[in-house]
């Protein structure tokens, strides 16, 4: 498996600084948070996109994913949601990223059946465009669909190879799902896995990997046992927790922790 980290942990950091961290600490790739407050987002032009590609290539680091904030199950018109997905797909294509990340985002009070159908319809519409660009859309286990069992209700309806899943280990754990259950549900669709650590279900402030309660070791063991050789991406949610320790000082120990888990599970 290859290791990456998300720029959610270093909000607003310029690309050259992100790449210095990746190379200094032995990470193979970076998940780019594609929010307007970040240096890489769908609003940047062709020249800036080309510069980003050149910087990553020179550093020998891969762009794992463009992590957007589209909420595919949210009530309302389809067109703005699909347009937002297409903008993310265009950015991913231009950057050479294999994936974009989207959220479920159903509203409180929205029926599960309506949310599933809405998400599947929009994802299915965007899937052919994604296929033409050579990019996969990954639905993250998050918010209204936080478990693998929730996600496959949508993915099964879509049934397109360019729409898959992103396993966020915190959300499936908070949803009460065992890692073995999540893997069984998501394995046919799995793009990559986001790892993180927290103190408890009540305190989700990010911690260094291995310092909390999330079953990272069990997840890695299950993935290894099944011969999965994709990406593990550390999503450290510094942007939402200003009091959390700065990520740069944790990256080295985090990579060592993941490497140790991979070695133990081999």
């Amino acid at each position: 498996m290859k290791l990456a980290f998300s720029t959610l942990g270093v909000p607003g950091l310029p690309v050259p600084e992100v790449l210095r961290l990746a190379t200094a600490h032995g990470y193979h790739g970076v998940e780019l948070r594609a929010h307007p407050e970040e240096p890489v987002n769908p609003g940047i032009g062709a020249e800036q996109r080309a510069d980003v590609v050149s910087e990553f290539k020179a550093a020998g680091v891969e762009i794992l994913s463009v992590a957007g904030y589209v909420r595919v199950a949210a009530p309302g018109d389809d067109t703005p949601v699909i347009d937002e997905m297409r903008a993310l797909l265009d950015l991913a294509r231009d950057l050479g990223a294999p994936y974009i990340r989207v959220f479920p985002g159903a509203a409180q009070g929205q029926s599960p059946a309506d949310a599933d159908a809405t998400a599947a319809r929009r994802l299915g519409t965007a899937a052919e465009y994604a296929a033409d660009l050579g990019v996969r859309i990954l639905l993250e286990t998050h918010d209204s669909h936080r478990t693998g069992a929730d996600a496959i209700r949508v993915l099964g309806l879509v049934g397109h190879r360019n729409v898959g899943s992103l396993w966020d280990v915190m959300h499936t754990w908070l949803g009460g799902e065992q890692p073995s259950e999540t893997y069984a549900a998501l394995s046919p669709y799995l793009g990559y896995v986001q790892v993180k650590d927290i103190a408890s279900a009540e305190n989700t402030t990010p911690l260094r990997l291995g310092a909390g309660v999330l079953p990272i070791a069990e997840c890695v063991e299950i993935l290894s046992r099944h011969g999965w050789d994709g990406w593990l991406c550390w999503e450290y949610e510094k942007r939402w927790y200003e009091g959390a320790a700065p990520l740069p000082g944790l990256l080295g120990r985090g990579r060592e922790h993941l490497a140790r888990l991979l070695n133990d599970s081999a």
Side-chain angles (χ1 to χ4, degrees), residues 4-257:
F5 66 88
S6 169
T7 55
L8 184 63
V10 284
L13 195 67
V15 168
E17 296 298 319
V18 171
L19 290 170
R20 271 194 276 275
L21 289 174
T23 54
H25 297 293
Y27 286 84
H28 309 100
V30 173
E31 177 193 82
L32 292 172
R33 176 180 181 249
H35 189 278
E37 67 189 20
E38 298 293 341
V40 182
N41 65 72
I44 67 172
E47 186 175 347
Q48 291 168 286
R49 296 178 186 208
D51 287 344
V52 172
V53 172
S54 296
E55 289 169 325
F56 270 84
K57 184 177 181 180
V61 177
E62 297 182 52
I63 300 174
L64 168 59
S65 176
V66 171
Y69 289 86
V70 185
R71 298 184 177 274
V72 295
D77 293 339
D78 287 355
T79 301
V81 178
I82 294 167
D83 287 348
E84 194 175 350
M85 272 194 282
R86 288 188 169 193
L88 288 169
L89 288 164
D90 286 339
L91 178 60
R93 183 268 320 274
D94 292 344
L95 297 180
Y99 307 116
I100 68 164
R101 186 278 306 277
V102 300
F103 286 148
Q108 191 171 4
Q110 190 177 4
S111 75
D114 176 68
D116 294 349
T118 298
R121 181 176 67 248
R122 292 165 174 171
L123 288 167
T125 301
E128 288 302 322
Y129 189 70
D132 289 342
L133 300 185
V135 180
R136 289 186 78 201
I137 305 167
L138 301 184
L139 179 67
E140 183 172 326
T141 53
H142 195 274
D143 55 76
S144 61
H145 292 64
R146 71 184 346 168
T147 67
D150 294 330
I152 61 168
R153 296 200 314 265
V154 174
L155 299 171
L157 289 172
V158 178
H160 195 288
R161 59 188 171 80
N162 282 78
V163 178
S165 64
L166 198 176
W167 177 6
D168 181 320
V169 300
M170 181 180 77
H171 284 282
T172 54
W173 181 81
L174 289 172
E177 196 171 62
Q178 295 299 312
S180 59
E181 297 172 326
T182 306
Y183 180 80
L186 296 183
S187 58
Y189 309 98
L190 192 56
Y192 65 98
V193 178
Q194 285 180 342
V195 296
K196 59 188 73 172
D197 224 339
I198 56 174
S200 68
E202 295 72 36
N203 182 4
T204 55
T205 303
L207 301 175
R208 64 173 175 84
L209 294 179
V213 298
L214 293 184
I216 305 170
E218 186 178 352
C219 292
V220 170
E221 192 278 327
I222 289 167
L223 293 166
S224 295
R225 185 179 353 123
H226 287 89
W228 190 79
D229 62 354
W231 287 85
L232 299 177
C233 178
W234 186 5
E235 188 191 45
Y236 186 82
E237 298 185 336
K238 174 68 172 174
R239 176 62 183 84
W240 313 127
Y241 297 87
E242 292 185 8
L247 178 62
L250 305 176
L251 282 170
R253 291 180 68 183
R255 184 195 55 76
E256 290 168 6
H257 182 73

